[in-house]
Amino acid sequence: MSSASTLYQRVANRVLRLIEKGVYPAGRRLPSVRALSRRMRVSINTILGAYRWLEIRGFVEARPKSGHFVRARPQGPRPIPASLRENPVPVAVHKLIQEIVRNSSVPRLIPLGMAMVDPRLLPLARLNRILSSVARRMPELAHSYADPAGYEPLRTQIARLAADAGAEFGPDEIVVTSGAQEALHLALEVVCRPNDAVAVEVPVYYGVLQAIESLGLRAIEIPADALDGMNLDALRAVLKQYRPRAVVAMPTSHNPLGITMPESKKRELARILAHERVPLIEDDAASGLHFGPVRPSPAKAFDSQGLVMYCSSISKVLSPGLRVGWIACGRFRAEVEHRKTFRTSANATMPQLALAEYFEEGAFGRHLRSLRNILAGHVDLMSRAIRRSFPIGTQLSIPSGGFHLWVELPLGVNSLELYQLALRAGITIVPGPVFSPRGRFENHIRLSAGRWSAKEERAISDLGNLVRQMQCCGGSSSTMQM
Ligand SMILES: Cc1ncc(COP(=O)(O)O)c(C=O)c1O
């Protein structure tokens, strides 16, 4: 199943490369669906899926009865240079991130920086009913210590969900954690010692940097290609030169880029690391929020040596507040459970009981389908609003999942200054430098489309005006074209 999703993405990427190389210039008609299906020996549906993918992202326009045409000025993120390789560095992002996270939840601010979906899109009423029912029916169990590894029926449900995505691990491989954040922290803690080097793809979710900082590790950057994720040549070079203790990656619905590595590349990533005996810490916090029709397999599906530590949670799809995450630990199972027990004894029991019942009911798949369709719509609307409001020179990511947009501002516009100005205007954003151990991405911001209404649309327009004002010394005030 999962190969179908990557097939249409691969076709889309191939067509995109031809567009970027000028083989199909702006205004040119692309090969017909039928002709391309014959030429590439894939089904008509696969080509239709690929063209639709390109259409949603603004590269291609479908004209009734005429076919698909390359749009005048396709937007796409600039590739991140593969030559970033430099010595591992200690990380010091803590204070800025803390401030950003605190501001993200101030109610009077419009939270374009918050990595959380609109609570109205979550089945909170159902979860609350199950929680009270659990408290009523199992009062003693609900108030007892849980198994340090996590409530067994919940671990079984988690293993079933992972199997649907092609990753095979049993309940015994899983340790339930306080969100994906604790899973990432535990994974790093188990395989690294202070001062060790850890390789992270950049941009990287800032929570990974917080964990690296708190454990006294050093980070080394591996650039992520804006179309298909971590640059594997750079990875090979880093492995050879610095022998990092672990590699942290988010191969599916990456935060902040929104991209998903093709399955073949995930397989290769797992193979390279298995060959070098370096653990992969896989962050799959946006699991289930893919925009394509088929759920992509995680890299864990290609773990032949038990070296992939798979971290995920319910925070983006059900409830960030219940603080339930997990780690499928591979060969590190005993050590992870040991550390978890040391630190917190176990996760809170009641959320685990309730969640196991919620998964057992079988409504989760339907909820996910609806949620990801809504989020894909939000991302599309936010992308259009940015294209309308931000000045020329702005570049946008093309997410294939999740709800974040990675925005490259025109050169010279400093995202930390924009962050301060936006705060004064009542809007939160996340400035680019917190996504890099070296404080790169000075002219990037992450915007989140977890909620979308006229209020957020106005906030995007206000942000666009702020960017123009910051730019005005440099001149241009024209609007970015599609
Ligand atoms: C990529 C990524 N990983 C991990 C986490 C942490 O998730 P949790 O809230 O489950 O701890 C987040 C939360 O924003 C995230 O975006």
Side-chain angles (χ1 to χ4, degrees):
M1 262 177 80
S2 45
S3 58
S5 93
T6 42
L7 191 56
Y8 89 86
Q9 275 178 358
R10 248 183 286 153
V11 171
N13 282 341
R14 202 156 139 197
V15 175
L16 192 53
R17 284 203 182 94
L18 292 173
I19 292 174
E20 282 173 347
K21 283 183 180 156
V23 177
Y24 297 116
R28 171 105 195 179
R29 184 172 179 269
L30 288 170
S32 75
V33 172
R34 209 167 282 282
L36 198 58
S37 143
R38 265 200 309 272
R39 196 192 307 161
M40 296 184 83
R41 297 205 183 116
V42 295
S43 73
I44 287 199
N45 275 343
T46 301
I47 304 293
L48 282 172
Y51 277 1
R52 176 88 190 117
W53 191 92
L54 291 165
E55 195 190 337
I56 288 171
R57 285 154 185 84
F59 292 105
V60 161
E61 182 186 351
R63 295 189 198 153
K65 302 211 174 98
S66 307
H68 292 83
F69 290 78
V70 179
R71 290 195 79 147
R73 192 171 171 270
Q75 292 296 326
R78 264 178 257 264
I80 296 156
S83 54
L84 289 181
R85 250 176 299 135
E86 282 153 321
N87 287 329
V89 282
V91 174
V93 284
H94 168 78
K95 282 225 170 73
L96 183 56
I97 293 175
Q98 214 173 1
E99 183 197 316
I100 290 165
V101 170
R102 205 180 300 124
N103 283 331
S104 293
S105 48
V106 174
R108 71 182 162 76
L109 300 175
I110 301 173
L112 298 184
M114 183 142 76
M116 185 179 146
V117 305
D118 189 336
R120 288 170 301 183
L121 302 176
L122 303 174
L124 300 189
R126 186 67 208 135
L127 286 170
N128 286 340
R129 271 198 296 278
I130 300 177
L131 277 163
S132 14
S133 154
V134 158
R136 231 183 10 259
R137 283 182 289 119
M138 306 181 245
E140 289 185 10
L141 181 59
H143 287 279
S144 305
Y145 286 116
D147 179 337
Y151 181 50
E152 202 275 340
L154 174 62
R155 286 187 280 119
T156 303
Q157 294 288 350
I158 292 168
R160 272 187 206 141
L161 290 173
D164 291 345
E168 284 172 22
F169 48 79
D172 290 347
E173 198 184 319
I174 297 169
V175 171
V176 174
T177 58
S178 177
Q181 185 64 31
E182 192 192 23
L184 292 165
H185 199 285
L186 279 169
L188 283 164
E189 193 179 352
V190 160
V191 295
C192 302
R193 296 292 163 263
N195 216 30
D196 277 350
V198 178
V200 297
E201 65 187 333
V202 286
V204 56
Y205 165 60
Y206 46 77
V208 170
L209 297 180
Q210 284 176 304
I212 289 178
E213 183 174 352
S214 88
L215 291 166
L217 308 174
R218 290 171 306 139
I220 178 145
E221 300 182 329
I222 303 177
D225 184 281
L227 272 183
D228 61 3
M230 183 187 284
N231 183 307
L232 295 188
D233 290 334
L235 171 68
R236 285 190 193 90
V238 161
L239 287 172
K240 202 161 147 199
Q241 198 168 348
Y242 299 108
R243 295 295 311 163
R245 275 298 163 159
V247 173
V248 186
M250 188 169 185
T252 309
S253 303
H254 182 276
N255 173 0
L257 292 173
I259 43 155
T260 292
M261 262 191 192
E263 195 172 292
S264 54
K265 199 168 169 186
K266 286 178 181 163
R267 194 187 291 275
E268 180 63 2
L269 171 66
R271 194 198 61 77
I272 293 170
L273 293 179
H275 183 258
E276 298 293 330
R277 299 187 182 286
V278 173
L280 171 64
I281 300 175
E282 178 174 23
D283 183 349
D284 199 15
S287 173
L289 292 183
H290 51 92
F291 297 162
V294 180
R295 185 167 166 183
S297 295
K300 178 73 179 167
F302 312 109
D303 180 17
S304 57
Q305 314 269 324
L307 276 170
V308 180
M309 304 171 88
Y310 172 82
C311 307
S312 187
S313 77
I314 59 159
S315 302
K316 309 298 164 196
V317 292
L318 285 176
S319 161
L322 287 181
R323 304 307 298 137
V324 176
W326 52 89
I327 173 167
C329 322
R331 60 167 77 170
F332 306 99
R333 163 71 171 71
E335 183 66 2
V336 171
E337 185 183 339
H338 182 67
R339 300 259 167 174
K340 168 73 188 170
T341 318
F342 254 36
R343 177 132 20 88
T344 60
S345 298
N347 259 48
T349 309
M350 202 152 0
Q352 298 190 65
L353 299 177
L355 207 54
E357 289 202 7
Y358 175 78
F359 285 141
E360 182 67 39
E361 280 183 354
F364 183 52
R366 212 174 328 121
H367 160 64
L368 268 187
R369 269 195 299 284
S370 143
L371 180 62
R372 61 180 170 249
N373 281 339
I374 294 172
L375 292 178
H378 285 187
V379 167
D380 188 34
L381 290 168
M382 188 182 264
S383 304
R384 287 169 197 260
I386 293 170
R387 287 190 192 116
R388 275 197 306 275
S389 308
F390 280 53
I392 283 180
T394 305
Q395 300 277 339
L396 265 188
S397 58
I398 309 160
S400 60
F403 50 93
H404 302 302
L405 281 165
W406 183 239
V407 185
E408 182 181 336
L409 304 168
L411 270 180
V413 177
N414 183 296
S415 65
L416 288 165
E417 281 170 31
L418 179 62
Y419 165 73
Q420 295 295 349
L421 289 174
L423 259 190
R424 266 180 252 152
I427 305 164
T428 68
I429 60 171
V430 187
V434 300
F435 294 90
S436 151
R438 289 181 171 270
R440 288 180 213 278
F441 308 118
E442 273 182 0
N443 65 323
H444 290 70
I445 54 173
R446 188 195 73 183
L447 298 177
S448 299
R451 52 177 88 209
W452 187 254
S453 69
K455 198 164 81 167
E456 280 76 23
E457 190 169 354
R458 256 195 321 276
I460 291 289
S461 164
D462 292 347
L463 267 183
N465 285 336
L466 287 175
V467 175
R468 280 164 204 283
Q469 282 165 24
M470 291 175 72
Q471 215 195 0
C472 73
C473 321
S476 167
S477 68
S478 37
T479 302
M480 195 181 157
Q481 291 160 7
M482 277 284 294

